[in-house]
Amino acid sequence: MGLSQNKLKSFYLFFLFCILTLTPLAFSEIFFEEHFEGGWKSRWVLSDWKRNEGKAGTFKHTAGKWPGDPDNKGIQTYNDAKHYAISAKIQEFSNKNRTLVLQYSVKIEQDIECGGAYIKLLSGYVNQKQFGGDTPYSLMFGPDICGTQTKKLHVILSYQGQNYPIKKDLQCETDKLNHFYTFILRPDASYSVLVDNKEREFGSMYTDWDILPPRKIKVKNAKKPVDWDDREYIDDPDDVKPEGYDSIPREIKDQKAEEPEDWDEEENGAWEAPKIPNPAYKGPWKAKKIKNPNYKGKWKNPWIDNPEFEDDPDLYVLKPIKYIGIEVWQVKAGSIFDNILISDDPQYARTMVDDYFDQHRESEKELFAEAEKERKAREDEESRKAREEGERRRKERDHRYGDRKRRYKRPNPRDYMDDYHDEL
């Protein structure tokens, strides 16, 4: 039995709707996704960089001390004052004509003191067993903390073999909870930096990196035109000073004042009433202000096209990406890297973060609060024992040296002087 014309039309519209809504998903691509589940060691290569010098650290597979999800494990820097380098090979891809999304989570459980927690995208051939701080990279992104002053969020892009850091001062998170860092680079060379799905910065590679000369420059030695009127308000030419205005005195005699009964004119002279401010005095006369009809605005140095600017439509295009790596140095170890994503779909990255926060954030906070409570109690107990031990040693020292003081009597110099005088 055939379908009616209306049903065919409805089916066609439904089919078209599905095509339009699902097409973006069909063409979105995930280049790399890592949650460090089973078999992760087969995908990652631990570098031997600095190992012969005894300066290479290792990673531990763990969910950490206060995991939002105990089954969701990452890799944690394990040894203090070491260099850590580990990388994974991925199917080579280019971000030309597509959006690049790099996202990962890091939980800095330790008092890091000084160290990085960033991630790198690498191009070309990389000897993964020798991957280290000198290995060229195409993108470096993530936190770098040192003391209380440096809380930097790096975004460093490579262009024609040279690394360019972002000019803006981006700040990273410094608490001990899990945080997601997201960098999005679009084909129009615009970018976004998100922390926990909240946009921390937005801009363009043209303006926020010193890669290309600026499109516009200010005219050198430019001067304001003689006829440029930058007075927003002027005196009202129709406002006339009232007649007699200048003759109004600043002060007048106090009419309510009375001569004191004990005033002595022979001694003090003739009494005069004291002066008080004149309420009619309004100060020097000024014409009222009106809008200047010839106002052209504040003069600004004009901009012109920069003759040295040469556009590169592929400015945003990184060298084809072939590896992802973690290469950091830390004074105190304990940072957990997890949930790494390289994609061209910002919405998929956003959903990943939302899912974590919806399902695990509150439990993570509760476990962290409990761990902090235990830590505080432990520190208080250690302080109490230290005070008691110090008091015990003080008493022991006073007791020991107190007996010695009682047994030993220092000679009095006068005794020797008495013997000297006796001999004389």
Side-chain angles (χ1 to χ4, degrees), residues 292-304:
N292 183 1
N294 299 318
Y295 177 63
K296 294 184 178 181
K298 298 299 181 183
W299 184 82
K300 296 180 180 179
N301 198 329
W303 293 82
I304 59 172

Side-chain angles (χ1 to χ4, degrees), residues 66-240:
W66 38 86
D69 178 7
D71 297 325
N72 183 11
K73 296 181 179 181
I75 55 172
Q76 183 180 44
T77 53
Y78 189 57
N79 316 96
D80 290 345
K82 300 291 183 183
H83 294 266
Y84 312 87
I86 192 169
S87 63
K89 189 174 182 179
I90 61 181
Q91 185 66 40
E92 189 175 68
F93 74 93
S94 172
N95 69 315
K96 186 176 176 65
N97 296 325
R98 67 168 84 200
T99 297
L100 172 66
V101 180
L102 172 61
Q103 177 174 280
Y104 73 105
S105 69
V106 62
K107 178 164 58 171
I108 304 176
E109 289 190 339
Q110 77 277 33
D111 295 320
I112 193 169
E113 293 186 8
C114 198
Y118 35 79
I119 206 162
K120 294 180 177 181
L121 296 185
L122 315 169
S123 304
Y125 170 75
V126 174
N127 182 346
Q128 292 179 263
K129 294 298 290 183
Q130 297 300 316
F131 168 55
D134 298 330
T135 305
Y137 59 84
S138 293
L139 168 62
M140 187 178 106
F141 174 57
D144 192 5
I145 300 172
C146 197
T148 58
Q149 301 299 319
T150 302
K151 302 173 184 178
K152 193 172 187 62
L153 179 55
H154 285 294
V155 187
I156 302 177
L157 298 172
S158 177
Y159 180 78
Q160 297 183 355
Q162 184 172 342
N163 296 334
Y164 294 88
I166 192 170
K167 294 189 293 184
K168 292 182 178 178
D169 184 19
L170 305 184
Q171 299 289 300
C172 65
E173 299 298 314
T174 56
D175 60 34
K176 298 182 178 181
L177 298 176
N178 205 23
H179 292 286
F180 283 78
Y181 292 90
T182 310
F183 177 67
I184 302 173
L185 182 60
R186 305 176 186 87
D188 63 356
S190 67
Y191 73 94
S192 292
V193 174
L194 289 79
V195 179
D196 298 334
N197 265 354
K198 296 179 181 177
E199 191 169 68
R200 186 67 60 87
E201 194 55 71
F202 172 85
S204 171
M205 286 182 64
Y206 285 99
T207 57
D208 295 345
W209 281 265
D210 286 326
I211 299 176
L212 298 180
R215 290 178 182 270
K216 301 281 187 177
I217 57 173
K218 289 184 177 181
V219 178
K220 292 183 178 179
N221 303 320
K223 295 182 179 180
K224 183 174 67 173
V226 177
D227 60 347
W228 188 277
D229 195 341
D230 58 4
R231 298 171 301 160
E232 187 173 359
Y233 293 90
I234 59 173
D235 292 343
D236 183 356
D238 297 329
D239 190 18
V240 180

Side-chain angles (χ1 to χ4, degrees), residues 258-265 271:
E258 296 181 356
E259 181 180 339
E261 294 182 359
D262 59 350
W263 184 268
D264 189 340
E265 288 192 3
W271 179 83

